[in-house]
Amino acid sequence: MTVVASDLDRTLIYSAGALGLTVPDAEAPRLLCVEVYQGKPLSYVTEEAAALLVELGRRAVFVPTTTRTREQYGRVRLPGPAPTYAICANGGHLLVDGVSDPQWRAAVGERLDAECAPLEEVRERMVRSADAAWLLKERVAEDLFAYLVVERALLPDGWVKELGAWADGVGWTVSLQGRKVYAVPKPLTKGAAVAEVARRVGAGQVLGAGDSLLDADLLEVADRGWRPGHGELAEAGWAAPGVTVLAERGVVAGEAVLRGFLGAV
């Protein structure tokens, strides 16, 4: 039994702004919309990636693994069989047939209470230290972590690093991903939730993929992993044993990730 755990946004699925197509329009791959928001198409995969996803769902336990909230994940309609397991809120919710497992959520809550400063304390520090000149929105996700949407070009040098140094001392991590500054409790990880799925199904192999700093622990937990040629991990030059660094960037990287999964399965 193989568990395949993959990040979604900018790993398997791509918004119009993240497609990263560099070929002439007439040579661009055909796209399939997999997410609609407020009546408009939002996220896509290539038709080739869609076919690969269907095959992967037949041959492995495929686990979408995302920082999205459950509501945001619920908008995504991936090709292939509906996954039995999915991971949302960066590991805070383990969905089983679409329903959050209460025992897992309770266990996560206990770890956060024991090891981290309260969410409200961290959120207040983030917002208080931000500047209205570049802060666009502030949000709390699933009562588990907080993030800011910022005008990145106006973000002061050193602000994220300074906030991260403070957060580290209270059991949290801070990362800048695109236009979002995330503050996430250290025990809240995708990797821990993936390990739980692997335990439940008796997996002999775990495969993983992701592009962001919040995917690093997932890639480290996996027996083999794949990292697209774009994203925060690529910008940081991040690498680890057993992780394949792909040359592909943009939506075609999704195809490369899926081919890697199927080859390993």
Side-chain angles (χ1 to χ4, degrees), residues 80-95:
T84 300
Y85 296 98
I87 293 164
C88 295
N90 213 62
H93 286 282
L94 173 56
L95 306 189

Side-chain angles (χ1 to χ4, degrees), residues 6-7 12 15 60 64 67 72 87 96 121 128 134 141 188 228 231-232:
S6 181
D7 174 51
L12 288 188
S15 66
T67 304
Q72 292 167 339
I87 293 164
V96 183
E121 177 184 342
R128 175 165 47 84
W134 46 263
L188 187 68
E232 287 74 30

